[in-house]
Amino acid sequence: MTLVAITGTPGTGKTSVSAELRSRGYNVIDMNDHIRSHGLLGELDAARDTHEVDLDLLNDSLQQYRETEDLYLMDSHLSHFMDCREIIVLRCNPSVLAERLEARGYGPDKVRENVQSEILDVILCEATDSDIPVYEVDCSEGDPASSADAVEQIVKGEFSDYLPGRTDWSEEMDRWF
């Protein structure tokens, strides 16, 4: 299978890392664009300020990429739900994540929800439930290029430094819960 998921809590660096990988010649699927262009954007969940997406339809819409030998990286906080070769979860220190989300204009409730999800390893846990190989990259420090270097190592099979379980934000629990 030629699809690799780049996933993580909003604000962890998926878009920046994916842009860097794209500049290096990698095929990167902007899943938000893909969802819109394939008419997969569902109803607005006003309480969470997000749209629903039928994950089965989204997965089916990616079949064309599975039928090629080329490597495609999927950039989305939903990509770990897709059938793929491996999953790379981008992680970010909760304080840094909060700053990034606030800079995007996220309200306090949405910042808190996403930071809590990061502390609780929600996306990492969802990914490891898939039986697909999972890796994690801490994008808290450095620039997108260094995180892209880590993703490149993983897709080239050099993943021993990125096995899950190395990132632990539990010391932030008291601050955010």
Side-chain angles (χ1 to χ4, degrees):
M1 197 169 297
T2 57
L3 287 172
V4 172
I6 297 178
T7 190
T9 305
T12 54
K14 296 177 299 297
T15 302
S16 299
V17 170
S18 293
E20 175 65 25
L21 290 164
R22 193 176 286 112
S23 77
R24 296 178 185 189
Y26 284 89
N27 299 311
V28 180
I29 304 167
D30 180 326
M31 295 291 279
N32 289 331
D33 287 346
H34 181 88
I35 288 166
R36 280 188 217 91
S37 69
H38 286 78
L40 301 173
L41 201 59
E43 292 185 30
L44 176 66
D45 178 346
R48 296 183 60 232
D49 190 28
T50 188
H51 287 270
E52 299 293 327
V53 175
D54 183 316
L55 296 176
D56 291 328
L57 289 176
L58 177 56
N59 194 45
D60 292 346
S61 74
L62 297 166
Q63 188 57 35
Q64 66 187 353
Y65 301 108
R66 292 187 191 93
E67 295 171 353
T68 178
E69 302 261 336
D70 295 334
L71 174 68
Y72 286 90
L73 306 172
M74 298 179 289
D75 166 14
S76 174
H77 71 284
L78 299 174
S79 63
H80 61 284
F81 292 116
M82 302 299 104
D83 294 333
C84 57
R85 182 180 83 187
E86 56 199 3
I87 300 169
I88 301 170
V89 181
L90 302 187
R91 306 299 305 276
C92 186
N93 178 284
S95 298
V96 174
L97 182 62
E99 289 174 13
R100 291 178 183 177
L101 296 175
E102 288 165 357
R104 286 184 183 182
Y106 281 31
D109 291 341
K110 196 163 184 176
V111 169
R112 181 174 301 281
E113 175 188 3
N114 283 292
V115 168
Q116 288 174 342
S117 293
E118 180 67 9
I119 291 169
L120 295 173
D121 302 331
V122 169
I123 289 185
L124 182 65
C125 290
E126 289 171 347
T128 56
D129 283 346
S130 69
D131 293 328
I132 296 169
V134 177
Y135 310 99
E136 64 179 339
V137 175
D138 185 352
C139 298
S140 304
E141 298 177 11
D143 58 7
S146 60
S147 297
D149 291 344
V151 171
E152 274 193 299
Q153 285 182 307
I154 293 166
V155 299
K156 290 177 179 177
E158 302 164 17
F159 50 76
S160 61
D161 289 339
Y162 304 102
L163 297 173
R166 294 176 182 242
T167 306
D168 179 8
W169 309 126
S170 60
E171 74 277 357
E172 296 277 338
M173 294 275 270
D174 290 341
R175 180 174 176 203
W176 294 99
F177 287 87

